[in-house]
Amino acid sequence: MNNDEYLKNYKPEKYDKLSLTVDALIFSIINDKLCIRLVKRNKPPFEGLLSLPGTFVKINESLEDAVKRVLKEKAGFSDIYFEQLYTWGDVNRDPRMRIVSVSYISLLSEEALSNVIKKEETDESFLDVDYILDNPQLLAFDHYKIIESARKRLAILAEEYNISFEFLPKEFTLPRLQKITEILLGHNLYKANFRKKIQDKVISTNTYTSGDAFRPSMLYTVADKDSFKV
Amino acid sequence: MNNDEYLKNYKPEKYDKLSLTVDALIFSIINDKLCIRLVKRNKPPFEGLLSLPGTFVKINESLEDAVKRVLKEKAGFSDIYFEQLYTWGDVNRDPRMRIVSVSYISLLSEEALSNVIKKEETDESFLDVDYILDNPQLLAFDHYKIIESARKRLAILAEEYNISFEFLPKEFTLPRLQKITEILLGHNLYKANFRKKIQDKVISTNTYTSGDAFRPSMLYTVADKDSFKV
DNA sequence: CAAATAGTGTCTTTGAGACACTATCGT
DNA sequence: ACGATAGTGTCTCAAAGACACTATTTG
């Protein structure tokens, strides 16, 4: 049997099929707190509880395209950073039917956020991650476990890669970069040490902030997004 | 029916369903080389080429259970270390139909290997990873890309976690542990430095190797498998 | 003894951590 | 001048790296 004949006679139905979703963990820093986009479920199961924005993966759509669709449709963003986190495949993770979910971490700058979502809406739909992690009963499905896992990953990404840049606009100050990193790590850093560590990853623009009631701060841009491994 | 036709004629159900597989990247060290289990395909597509052992995920089976089934049925092993690597979901990664694959890295000690597979079979079914990576044309589907990704991950696991232990029997010598680590990292290490670094992770058994035509070596066991993060 | 491998002592370099200091804005 | 934040210099300490040395087996 040659290849064409084989493909012609192939019956896809002889293998089990199941539903696949992608879930997006859209993080942003709001008022110096790490927040995550969650939606309130308006139907069973878990009606009234919070869940990650997600969608079913279409048969002719890559996982990345499905994530982009979620980010655009459910959050209004395009061209933002995301990366795969983990795939969750317990048999009973959804009480309705067998659904396997591929979760993606996505990072949003405050700037990008304010461009799309009104202030009041932001307060509703982006929730403090610390608060969420203290209240597991608020989450639907296995989404608490997923958020927990993503929270740990973010700390690693801040420590070993320089993921903090993704939360900032094109130009930023070092105090701000340090603050973001501290939020992601969960502890404070020494200013001088932090600057020594990241000095090769930023480029001075030779312009300064202004208007604040204190000393202006130098604005920087990212040096090389591809060489971020410490 | 090829993939394009299949997609064209596809009638959406309420939710799209698709096929999900798990693929196992079973690594072992054989003759001081990093090797991986590959199977020769005996039917199209990619007939004659090499592919990762894998299976379709059953509707009532978790991803982990599916991996265990692959490890047992296709390799003959149970109770071996494995962890999720990545999920591959390009639309056309399989020419027959839409298949998303969750890949898992699994590590096998030489000991466990020799208990199950005969020497001649081992030579056929476990192939030198360096050789494979030099010959992309030998691999079916997107499995070359997957192996490449796993190879990088192994180096990270050796560097930041102490994954080398998984390739060794319960009792091992430090020269052997160092050799495994060097193979995974891809470069040599200084003996004294290596020992300083891992000294808290091993416990001396106060017994020695014997029978070799040189100085015997102290045998050690693993200290605490759960505190491996450097 | 020679060959081969096991194992140790120590100097140097690098980077993380801690802390104190100086600088510059608006009011 | 003062409050507040920006930015720098430098000491300490721990770990990584490099290298030289000693130790123990068989043949």
Side-chain angles (χ1 to χ4, degrees):
Chain A
M1 180 161 54
N2 68 29
N3 198 45
D4 285 342
E5 280 169 357
Y6 176 81
L7 291 174
K8 196 166 164 182
N9 295 328
Y10 187 77
K11 295 193 181 74
E13 295 78 22
K14 71 181 171 181
Y15 300 107
D16 281 351
K17 294 198 171 195
L18 37 75
S19 298
L20 190 68
T21 63
V22 290
D23 287 321
L25 295 117
I26 309 172
F27 290 102
S28 192
I29 309 280
I30 302 172
N31 300 327
D32 285 353
K33 288 186 181 295
L34 180 65
C35 296
I36 184 170
R37 176 94 166 91
L38 290 169
V39 295
K40 188 168 262 180
R41 290 185 58 79
N42 56 14
K43 59 184 177 189
F46 302 106
E47 186 170 4
L49 296 193
L50 298 166
S51 70
L52 295 167
T55 189
F56 284 91
V57 177
K58 294 180 179 169
I59 197 77
N60 58 351
E61 172 188 58
S62 73
L63 299 178
E64 286 76 15
D65 285 344
V67 179
K68 284 180 190 162
R69 194 157 52 77
V70 173
L71 294 175
K72 185 140 198 173
E73 290 179 6
K74 299 222 180 180
F77 304 102
S78 34
D79 292 328
I80 45 178
Y81 178 87
F82 65 89
E83 66 170 54
Q84 194 182 104
L85 172 65
Y86 196 77
T87 300
W88 311 85
D90 281 358
V91 174
N92 292 307
R93 54 181 298 281
D94 190 305
R96 294 164 295 184
M97 59 179 175
R98 179 71 192 279
I99 301 180
V100 171
S101 167
V102 188
S103 56
Y104 283 80
I105 287 181
S106 169
L107 309 179
L108 218 59
S109 69
E110 276 188 67
E111 197 189 27
L113 193 67
S114 61
N115 283 347
V116 179
I117 296 186
K118 289 196 295 288
K119 183 72 177 65
E120 318 84 69
E121 290 175 3
T122 303
D123 292 344
E124 282 173 29
S125 60
F126 276 82
L127 291 158
D128 183 336
V129 172
D130 286 338
Y131 168 71
I132 290 298
L133 289 177
D134 282 340
N135 293 277
Q137 76 282 0
L138 299 177
L139 277 300
F141 307 107
D142 54 357
H143 289 189
Y144 180 80
K145 189 164 74 175
I146 298 177
I147 295 172
E148 231 183 349
S149 157
R151 181 65 189 88
K152 287 179 190 158
R153 177 108 187 104
L154 274 187
I156 293 170
L157 289 172
E159 179 87 39
E160 299 184 11
Y161 304 82
N162 293 64
I163 206 76
S164 309
F165 292 110
E166 300 294 341
F167 288 103
L168 290 167
K170 205 164 293 176
E171 298 196 347
F172 52 84
T173 65
L174 297 189
R176 189 72 193 134
L177 181 64
Q178 182 177 345
K179 182 66 187 172
I180 303 276
T181 306
E182 288 171 345
I183 293 167
L184 295 178
L185 290 178
H187 61 259
N188 292 338
L189 300 167
Y190 285 85
K191 194 164 36 169
N193 302 339
F194 177 75
R195 281 162 186 248
K196 268 184 278 180
K197 190 170 175 179
I198 55 100
Q199 62 188 353
D200 292 338
K201 283 140 196 153
V202 294
I203 298 168
S204 165
T205 64
N206 290 313
T207 58
Y208 289 86
T209 57
S210 65
D212 297 311
F214 43 79
R215 179 174 174 178
S217 184
M218 177 73 83
L219 287 163
Y220 290 81
T221 57
V222 173
D224 179 7
K225 284 235 180 190
D226 294 327
S227 64
F228 272 180
K229 185 81 173 81
V230 174
Chain B
M1 179 160 56
N2 67 25
N3 199 49
D4 286 342
E5 287 173 41
Y6 174 73
L7 294 176
K8 195 164 150 189
N9 297 328
Y10 181 78
K11 296 204 176 67
E13 305 164 23
K14 185 177 181 188
Y15 300 110
D16 282 351
K17 295 199 173 193
L18 39 74
S19 299
L20 190 67
T21 63
V22 290
D23 287 321
L25 294 118
I26 309 172
F27 290 101
S28 193
I29 309 280
I30 302 172
N31 300 327
D32 284 354
K33 288 187 180 294
L34 179 66
C35 295
I36 184 170
R37 175 93 167 92
L38 291 169
V39 294
K40 188 168 263 182
R41 289 186 58 80
N42 56 15
K43 58 185 178 188
F46 301 108
E47 185 170 7
L49 295 193
L50 298 166
S51 70
L52 296 166
T55 189
F56 284 90
V57 177
K58 294 179 180 171
I59 198 77
N60 59 349
E61 172 188 57
S62 74
L63 299 178
E64 286 76 14
D65 285 344
V67 179
K68 284 180 191 164
R69 194 157 53 76
V70 172
L71 294 175
K72 185 141 197 173
E73 290 178 5
K74 299 222 180 180
F77 304 103
S78 34
D79 293 326
I80 46 176
Y81 178 87
F82 66 89
E83 66 170 55
Q84 195 183 103
L85 173 65
Y86 196 78
T87 299
W88 311 85
D90 281 358
V91 174
N92 292 306
R93 53 181 299 281
D94 191 306
R96 294 165 296 185
M97 59 176 178
R98 180 71 192 277
I99 302 181
V100 171
S101 166
V102 187
S103 56
Y104 282 80
I105 287 181
S106 168
L107 309 178
L108 219 59
S109 69
E110 276 188 67
E111 198 190 25
L113 193 69
S114 61
N115 283 347
V116 179
I117 297 185
K118 289 197 296 288
K119 182 72 178 66
E120 317 84 71
E121 290 174 3
T122 302
D123 291 343
E124 282 173 28
S125 60
F126 275 83
L127 291 158
D128 183 336
V129 171
D130 286 339
Y131 168 72
I132 290 296
L133 289 176
D134 282 340
N135 293 278
Q137 76 284 359
L138 298 177
L139 277 299
F141 307 107
D142 54 358
H143 290 189
Y144 180 81
K145 191 164 71 175
I146 298 176
I147 295 172
E148 232 182 348
S149 157
R151 181 65 188 88
K152 287 178 190 159
R153 177 108 188 104
L154 274 188
I156 293 171
L157 290 172
E159 180 86 40
E160 299 185 11
Y161 303 82
N162 293 64
I163 205 78
S164 308
F165 291 111
E166 300 293 341
F167 288 105
L168 290 168
K170 205 164 293 176
E171 299 197 346
F172 52 85
T173 65
L174 297 189
R176 189 71 191 137
L177 181 64
Q178 180 176 347
K179 183 66 187 173
I180 303 275
T181 306
E182 287 172 345
I183 292 167
L184 296 178
L185 290 178
H187 61 259
N188 293 338
L189 300 168
Y190 285 87
K191 194 165 35 169
N193 303 339
F194 176 76
R195 282 162 186 249
K196 268 185 276 180
K197 191 170 175 180
I198 54 100
Q199 61 187 356
D200 294 338
K201 283 139 198 152
V202 293
I203 298 168
S204 164
T205 64
N206 290 311
T207 58
Y208 289 86
T209 58
S210 65
D212 297 311
F214 45 78
R215 180 174 172 177
S217 184
M218 177 73 82
L219 287 163
Y220 289 81
T221 55
V222 172
D224 179 8
K225 283 234 177 189
D226 295 324
S227 64
F228 272 180
K229 184 82 172 80
V230 174

